[in-house]
Amino acid sequence: MTVRVLGSAAGGGFPQWNCNCRQCAAVRAGSPHHRARTQSSIAVGGPQDWLLVNASPDILTQLQRSPALQPARALRDSGIAAVLLCDGQIDHSTGLFMLRERGRPLPLWSTRPAHEDLSQGNPILRVLGHYCGVDWHELPLDGTAVRLPAALEAPQLAPLRITALPLDSKPAPYSPHREAPVEGDNVGLVLENTATGGRVFYAPGLGAISPAVWAAMNSVDAVLVDGTFWTDDEMITLGFSRKTARDIGHLPQSGAGGMLEVLGRLPVRTRKLLIHINNTNPILDEASPERRAVEAAGVEVSFDGLELLF
């Protein structure tokens, strides 16, 4: 079974459409040290049946670059058997609009709070009701593992087992509970291939390491986790925001208690990758000292098209 990184950037992509920071300008200028990236999303499964995890606004570009997700078994066909959302954020849900031509209701897993966000604050799911419709399934938060039902007719996904863990983060600005976060606004996922025993932890938005999250990270073969910001004050220093990384719900990589320090405590055998990387993060410059520090710590910077077998 495969985890394919469809998009590795944070919201806005890299370069961001209206950003002229040093990083985005370097991509546009053709810098050999900067690689363009679409917005965060992965696909799990293969070779022809796939679970889409988070539906990025860049989904059409991502599908065009991923022939395996278009097996063409019929006149109208897609390898996407179902969709799972880690949260209700715009950069993880807007791509659902692009799947509206599906001929039958779209199987969708999310937590109840994320469902509320996308039914009330940003009613994407209600809009889809005028097109293909949505077959919604609640993602449990009590540690119960989910298997995709046989009714999906996606036999290659039968070995996949998914467990959701609540994360310390923030819901979208339009969420009914933006100022009073609730459990399930944002989740991380343990993806398990029961045929091989391989396990991956995926958490593109992660504000703090709870005991449950730490236990999950220690139980897997690979972690694919929040790489949004290098420093806590990155957006403030650049003049883009008055909020820190932690204020926004992201654990920065550097500094005491940062993501690199956390990843450094994991077993040596664990493969460690960063995803959901903001355009301001200097690790996107492959010649930067920050990138060298990440690599020296044995941590990888994910890119669009990267694949992990598990």
Side-chain angles (χ1 to χ4, degrees):
M1 191 166 286
T2 301
V3 171
R4 179 177 175 85
V5 175
L6 301 179
S8 53
F14 186 58
Q16 182 171 305
W17 69 278
N18 67 340
C19 185
N20 297 297
C21 71
R22 181 182 66 82
Q23 301 266 93
C24 290
V27 177
R28 295 190 184 100
S31 165
H33 304 301
H34 296 76
R35 186 188 311 212
R37 288 166 162 83
T38 59
Q39 296 170 85
S40 171
S41 178
I42 64 172
V44 183
Q48 293 188 325
D49 297 333
W50 297 87
L51 171 69
L52 177 65
V53 182
N54 296 327
S56 154
D58 297 319
I59 183 65
L60 297 186
T61 297
Q62 293 167 349
L63 292 176
Q64 290 164 5
R65 294 175 178 174
S66 305
L69 273 69
Q70 181 53 271
R73 296 162 296 194
L75 188 59
R76 288 286 179 93
D77 183 39
S78 169
I80 299 174
V83 179
L84 186 152
L85 302 180
C86 290
D87 53 56
Q89 299 281 355
I90 279 180
D91 54 325
H92 285 161
S93 61
T94 313
L96 292 174
F97 282 137
M98 300 300 104
L99 306 181
R100 66 188 182 278
E101 292 92 355
R102 181 183 169 89
R104 56 190 185 279
L106 178 68
L108 176 70
W109 274 258
S110 79
T111 63
R112 187 166 294 277
H115 184 267
E116 291 173 358
D117 291 351
L118 299 177
S119 301
Q120 300 175 34
N122 183 19
I124 290 175
L125 303 185
R126 286 163 48 193
V127 173
L128 285 178
H130 296 281
Y131 296 91
C132 61
V134 173
D135 178 19
W136 178 66
H137 304 263
E138 184 172 0
L139 198 59
L141 297 172
D142 60 0
T144 301
V146 168
R147 286 183 183 266
L148 303 184
L152 290 181
E153 298 180 355
Q156 293 162 3
L157 291 174
L160 180 62
R161 186 164 63 185
I162 307 156
T163 307
L165 289 81
L167 301 181
D168 182 358
S169 191
K170 283 194 173 183
Y174 46 78
S175 171
H177 26 87
R178 169 67 171 182
E179 301 307 323
V182 299
E183 186 176 74
D185 283 328
N186 186 300
V187 296
L189 305 173
V190 174
L191 308 168
E192 180 181 2
N193 181 352
T194 57
T196 65
R199 291 162 59 89
V200 175
F201 179 68
Y202 175 62
L206 185 55
I209 309 297
S210 69
V213 167
W214 181 240
M217 292 174 71
N218 276 274
S219 73
V220 298
D221 305 295
V223 295
L224 192 58
V225 293
D226 192 332
T228 311
F229 299 114
W230 177 251
T231 61
D232 197 32
D233 63 352
E234 189 169 306
M235 296 292 278
I236 298 172
T237 300
L238 292 172
F240 289 140
S241 175
R242 296 181 179 178
K243 295 183 177 181
T244 66
R246 289 180 171 88
D247 288 339
I248 303 171
H250 298 284
L251 186 65
Q253 278 111 62
S254 64
M259 189 65 79
L260 286 188
E261 182 179 295
V262 171
L263 296 177
R265 299 200 305 266
L266 289 175
V268 175
R269 61 171 176 78
T270 307
R271 188 173 178 185
K272 310 165 186 73
L273 304 98
L274 299 172
I275 196 169
H276 195 272
I277 306 157
N278 201 56
N279 63 84
T280 57
N281 192 329
I283 67 173
L284 290 175
D285 179 352
E286 296 173 6
S288 68
E290 293 86 357
R291 180 61 169 262
R292 290 195 293 271
V294 169
E295 293 171 347
V299 177
E300 301 173 54
V301 178
S302 62
F303 54 87
D304 294 17
L306 181 147
E307 292 188 344
L308 292 78
L309 298 179
F310 72 108

